[in-house]
Amino acid sequence: QGLYSSVVCPGLVMSNMTYRILPVFMWTLLMPIMWLVSGCPGCFGVMCWARSSLCCSSQVWLFKQKPEQLDCLVKYHSCTSGLGKCYVEPRKMDVDEDTAEKLYQKLLELEEQ
């Protein structure tokens, strides 16, 4: 029917909602560590987390793609380079393809019922 589904990870968006997860003093302790890790050029695609204007790039990128050309067994991650440039990194999900196919067929059967 032309419906497609993809898995994305928007990264950690630092907003007022994020700050409510932990007490303020914990964020005060964690922020320097997060800045050090995000600035490390050798990191393997650091999760995008610095500013909300830079994050969620995977959703925007995914919206601009042709869904039939995307790999359904990949999770698309919003990442930033050590210099703050956002990019999308596809990572293969740990999913058994045979099990995924059986589940899909079962869903098609249920849809017909």
Side-chain angles (χ1 to χ4, degrees):
Q1 295 181 356
L3 297 176
Y4 296 90
S5 177
S6 295
V7 181
V8 296
C9 178
L12 176 60
V13 180
M14 298 305 286
S15 69
N16 60 346
M17 290 174 41
T18 307
Y19 286 119
R20 293 182 186 161
I21 295 171
L22 296 172
V24 175
F25 77 91
M26 287 296 291
W27 285 115
T28 305
L29 296 172
L30 290 174
M31 288 304 276
I33 296 167
M34 293 175 80
W35 276 108
L36 286 172
V37 171
S38 70
C40 172
C43 295
F44 307 105
V46 177
M47 296 299 293
C48 181
W49 70 272
R51 297 191 318 261
S52 58
S53 62
L54 295 176
C55 294
C56 303
S57 55
S58 57
Q59 287 93 328
V60 174
W61 178 87
L62 196 66
F63 176 76
K64 294 179 178 182
Q65 305 306 305
K66 292 183 179 180
E68 59 274 4
Q69 295 177 348
L70 295 171
D71 185 351
C72 62
L73 298 175
V74 166
K75 183 176 184 178
Y76 298 94
H77 291 258
S78 294
C79 300
T80 55
S81 69
L83 300 174
K85 181 176 176 1
C86 288
Y87 63 96
V88 176
E89 182 178 272
R91 297 180 192 162
K92 199 80 165 162
M93 292 187 291
D94 185 21
V95 176
D96 177 36
E97 292 184 37
D98 292 332
T99 304
E101 183 62 32
K102 287 177 187 174
L103 175 61
Y104 179 70
Q105 293 304 323
K106 185 64 175 174
L107 288 171
L108 290 177
E109 290 173 19
L110 289 171
E111 180 185 39
E112 290 176 6
Q113 294 176 2

